[in-house]
Amino acid sequence: MKALKDEGGVRLTASEWSVLDCLWEDSPRTVMQLVADLSGRVGWAKSTTITTLRRMEEKGLVDVEQGTRGKLYAPAVEREQAVIAETHSFLDRVYQGSVGMMMSAMAKRQELSPNEVAELRAILDQIEEAD
């Protein structure tokens, strides 16, 4: 699979995330399988799915091979790489790259549940132990 670049690389649109979510769950898939799935998930028409797949193929986000009953689509990027790239992009755009600033904003608005606070403490403890 290809890697998404953190800086200046490909950013996924909401539509591309929808398609990749389907493919990350199960691939390879035919156009008609994706049409049925995306119709149920996001209400897309067949033409929307086909257009999105064509654009994603041009951008190198999906791999395509010819199957016996038509084209088969598979993700060309890994979910974890896409999540990391999107997270970096979000942090850079909104919080000048500062995780601390983001967490402070969330904590001040009391948007973290006690379970989330405990998860964050556990993550920080693991980071400290690794150092």
mmCIF file of all heavy atoms in Angstrom, residues 76 116 122:
data_model
loop_
_atom_site.group_PDB
_atom_site.id
_atom_site.type_symbol
_atom_site.label_atom_id
_atom_site.label_comp_id
_atom_site.label_asym_id
_atom_site.label_seq_id
_atom_site.Cartn_x
_atom_site.Cartn_y
_atom_site.Cartn_z
ATOM 1 N N ALA A 76 -5.584 1.625 -1.623
ATOM 2 C CA ALA A 76 -4.152 1.755 -1.919
ATOM 3 C C ALA A 76 -3.412 2.400 -0.756
ATOM 4 O O ALA A 76 -2.192 2.551 -0.809
ATOM 5 C CB ALA A 76 -3.956 2.569 -3.196
ATOM 6 N N GLU A 116 -12.354 9.003 29.119
ATOM 7 C CA GLU A 116 -11.379 9.538 28.172
ATOM 8 C C GLU A 116 -10.157 10.102 28.908
ATOM 9 O O GLU A 116 -9.025 9.937 28.443
ATOM 10 C CB GLU A 116 -12.027 10.615 27.298
ATOM 11 C CG GLU A 116 -13.030 10.044 26.313
ATOM 12 C CD GLU A 116 -13.861 11.101 25.603
ATOM 13 O OE1 GLU A 116 -14.201 12.115 26.238
ATOM 14 O OE2 GLU A 116 -14.169 10.883 24.421
ATOM 15 N N ALA A 122 -3.386 6.859 30.762
ATOM 16 C CA ALA A 122 -2.732 5.583 30.457
ATOM 17 C C ALA A 122 -1.787 5.730 29.265
ATOM 18 O O ALA A 122 -0.673 5.192 29.268
ATOM 19 C CB ALA A 122 -3.777 4.505 30.190
#
